[in-house]
Amino acid sequence: MLNHSISQQIGNFTLNISTFLYLVYLLPQLFHNRLVEHIKKLSLLTHSILFSAYILDLVYAFGRSMPWQYKLVSCIGLVCLLVQHFQFLHFSSALPTIDRKVLKALTFLFLIGLAVGIYLVCSNQLSKSTLVLLGSISQIGWLTYVFPQIYKNYVLKSGEGLSLYFILFILLITLCDTLSAWFLDWDLPNKIGSPLSFGVKLILLLQFFKYSSKSSEQKLSY
């Protein structure tokens, strides 16, 4: 077994990598969303779960006075998801009617939720147990947000909704989180949840290459 000092060094190294990647991993997706065809294949439910998770995580981060790095990651991630939400709104005319209606409702709910969350944090009205609960719900969102996209990819037989670089980034982040959890001896949920999350996100990569190869074969057949 590795001694404690080496384990700490490896764990801190992977933790620093994942922290940096959390700051930039959404940028390839935002660039990918510049095309309406990609937005149409991006799951609105996946976006909504991730957006909600970031709002709750932001409230948790500031309410529990987490380190500035944690707060920075939450703020930048939320800004990126706000941009993605405006991208959905920008291309809303190309979306199905039901999605346009849901998008309008979500816009209202997200803005209200964010405003209420900021107010509660600033007024210091949330108890520790409530903040921990919000943080836990946020973690559930982090673990489940890819499922709607996996399903949509399966239905459409396409992996074009997500940027390949975004997929690679979230896989690398989850791998680093797994290594950090084990080498830094985090709690058992982190040790188990991170590798499980990696396996689920790996499905996105497999779908991307599977449907990309089928699309190439179809083009060659014409």
Side-chain angles (χ1 to χ4, degrees):
M1 293 181 61
L2 296 174
N3 62 46
H4 180 72
S5 177
I6 296 177
S7 295
Q8 288 289 312
Q9 290 177 12
I10 296 175
N12 287 324
F13 176 71
T14 54
L15 181 60
N16 289 333
I17 292 177
S18 62
T19 299
F20 170 75
L21 289 175
Y22 272 120
L23 296 174
V24 301
Y25 82 107
L26 283 165
L27 298 181
Q29 185 62 40
L30 297 182
F31 181 75
H32 188 72
N33 293 344
R34 73 194 187 281
L35 300 179
V36 63
E37 289 303 317
H38 293 163
I39 280 289
K40 288 167 64 176
K41 294 176 181 177
L42 179 61
S43 169
L44 183 57
L45 183 54
T46 283
H47 166 74
S48 301
I49 293 174
L50 193 56
F51 203 156
S52 301
Y54 261 103
I55 292 176
L56 295 176
D57 192 55
L58 187 72
V59 174
Y60 171 78
F62 282 88
R64 292 289 295 141
S65 299
M66 298 298 285
W68 68 268
Q69 296 94 330
Y70 193 110
K71 295 176 182 177
L72 180 63
V73 167
S74 294
C75 289
I76 290 181
L78 190 56
V79 169
C80 288
L81 286 167
L82 278 169
V83 173
Q84 181 166 272
H85 195 79
F86 282 114
Q87 289 176 321
F88 267 107
L89 291 171
H90 178 69
F91 291 120
S92 61
S93 60
L95 300 177
T97 303
I98 183 63
D99 283 355
R100 292 200 297 271
K101 293 181 179 179
V102 170
L103 189 59
K104 290 180 180 179
L106 287 174
T107 302
F108 176 76
L109 290 175
F110 287 152
L111 292 176
I112 293 296
L114 185 58
V116 171
I118 292 174
Y119 169 75
L120 291 174
V121 169
C122 292
S123 60
N124 196 29
Q125 294 188 25
L126 295 175
S127 65
K128 178 182 176 181
S129 59
T130 300
L131 289 168
V132 171
L133 176 61
L134 294 179
S136 300
I137 296 173
S138 173
Q139 290 300 314
I140 294 174
W142 284 101
L143 291 172
T144 59
Y145 77 92
V146 298
F147 285 109
Q149 188 63 52
I150 291 174
Y151 177 73
K152 188 162 187 174
N153 289 349
Y154 172 76
V155 171
L156 298 178
K157 298 296 184 289
S158 172
E160 294 181 351
L162 293 179
S163 161
L164 175 60
Y165 293 105
F166 170 79
I167 297 173
L168 293 176
F169 276 171
I170 61 174
L171 282 171
L172 184 55
I173 287 172
T174 312
L175 178 61
C176 287
D177 285 345
T178 300
L179 294 174
S180 297
W182 283 93
F183 282 108
L184 296 178
D185 196 25
W186 290 351
D187 293 335
L188 190 60
N190 295 106
K191 292 180 177 179
I192 297 177
S194 293
L196 287 177
S197 180
F198 181 86
V200 171
K201 291 168 183 174
L202 188 60
I203 297 175
L204 291 172
L205 185 64
L206 296 176
Q207 285 184 320
F208 182 90
F209 286 114
K210 176 183 178 181
Y211 297 133
S212 295
S213 62
K214 285 187 176 181
S215 177
S216 299
E217 290 175 1
Q218 290 174 352
K219 289 179 181 179
L220 289 174
S221 66
Y222 287 118

